[in-house]
Amino acid sequence: EAQVTQNPRYLITVTGKKLTVTCSQNMNHEYMSWYRQDPGLGLRQIYYSMNVEVTDKGDVPEGYKVSRKEKRNFPLILESPSPNQTSLYFCASSPNLGAGYTFGSGTRLTVV
Amino acid sequence: ILNVEQSPQSLHVQEGDSTNFTCSFPSSNFYALHWYRWETAKSPEALFVMTLNGDEKKKGRISATLNTKEGYSYLYIKGSQPEDSATYLCAPLAPGYALNFGKGTSLLVTP
């Protein structure tokens, strides 16, 4: 089944403890993105990648890192999480600029 | 960041009503316009991607039109059903920019 898989689905962590949210797609898509969704603010892009080893900042990149060492994987790294990073996170992928994105199931992160 | 506006913010209609929403975006430097449907507790799902001025796309009772010269797109739902209840997001794409989503129109269809 073609899909974008995110893990974990839910995570509660403490301030400052490094964490990684994984994202993997099995559709050989070139484009991958990370979004966060907060009430009243809609979906905001954190980082995106147009291909292996090519990443760029989105609208809200502060406090996040990403890597794209393989086409299928695009992990989101929070080196020192803070409570303002409590949010619902989505990973998404697309074959090209003219196609819609396929979204993962989301990761609900709480930083206390 | 591309400025994207969607209206109305929310809409409540009766089953069988037809409805439409608007997405406004900068008309300069345009590449594509995406529409997504996002049901509560699920992930956004792509409805349409449109690129050409005058484009019209249709999927069942849902259709969309695009005007790139004036920077707007309409999404229409004919004969709304309760299962159409969701938030509808638009996202313009311009070269050199990421895909930026509007805040969406939240649709509730009651029987």
Side-chain angles (χ1 to χ4, degrees):
Chain A
E1 181 187 355
Q3 59 186 0
V4 177
T5 303
Q6 288 179 235
N7 280 297
R9 289 292 306 277
Y10 302 92
L11 179 61
I12 301 175
T13 190
V14 295
T15 299
K17 185 177 180 182
K18 180 179 178 180
L19 67 93
T20 299
V21 184
T22 63
C23 174
S24 181
Q25 50 93 4
N26 61 1
M27 298 166 281
N28 201 37
H29 284 176
E30 302 283 335
Y31 291 80
M32 296 187 75
S33 285
W34 276 103
Y35 292 88
R36 61 179 287 176
Q37 196 270 330
D38 302 290
L41 296 177
L43 279 169
R44 294 181 294 167
Q45 190 165 70
I46 303 169
Y47 269 95
Y48 63 100
S49 169
M50 292 184 283
N51 212 327
V52 175
E53 302 292 2
V54 180
T55 63
D56 209 345
K57 296 177 181 178
D59 301 327
V60 288
E62 295 78 20
Y64 304 95
K65 287 174 59 177
V66 293
S67 68
R68 189 93 183 272
K69 296 177 182 175
E70 310 162 276
K71 191 181 243 188
R72 63 184 293 124
N73 295 323
F74 191 44
L76 180 70
I77 303 157
L78 285 72
E79 294 272 4
S80 183
S82 62
N84 64 12
Q85 292 179 297
T86 292
S87 187
L88 177 60
Y89 292 85
F90 286 101
C91 179
S93 72
S94 172
N96 55 63
L97 279 178
Y101 272 80
T102 300
F103 280 77
S105 300
T107 295
R108 187 165 291 281
L109 172 66
T110 302
V111 183
V112 297
Chain B
I1 300 176
L2 291 179
N3 188 26
V4 185
E5 293 187 8
Q6 290 190 246
S7 62
Q9 187 175 353
S10 63
L11 198 53
H12 182 187
V13 302
Q14 297 295 311
E15 182 176 355
D17 289 348
S18 293
T19 186
N20 65 86
F21 327 131
T22 304
C23 173
S24 300
F25 54 88
S27 57
S28 60
N29 207 23
F30 172 87
Y31 181 83
L33 191 284
H34 292 224
W35 278 102
Y36 289 80
R37 181 173 180 273
W38 192 3
E39 289 183 73
T40 302
K42 294 187 177 180
S43 303
E45 291 183 4
L47 284 173
F48 307 114
V49 178
M50 296 183 287
T51 56
L52 299 176
N53 185 45
D55 247 357
E56 290 189 34
K57 299 234 173 169
K58 187 174 181 180
K59 185 182 288 188
R61 294 178 291 97
I62 304 177
S63 61
T65 61
L66 178 65
N67 184 322
T68 61
K69 293 183 178 179
E70 295 183 39
Y72 65 85
S73 176
Y74 293 140
L75 188 80
Y76 301 91
I77 302 179
K78 184 178 179 181
S80 303
Q81 300 296 309
E83 57 265 30
D84 295 328
S85 297
T87 296
Y88 292 83
L89 304 171
C90 74
L93 183 65
Y97 288 88
L99 191 65
N100 277 287
F101 286 86
K103 293 181 181 179
T105 293
S106 178
L107 174 67
L108 176 63
V109 183
T110 51

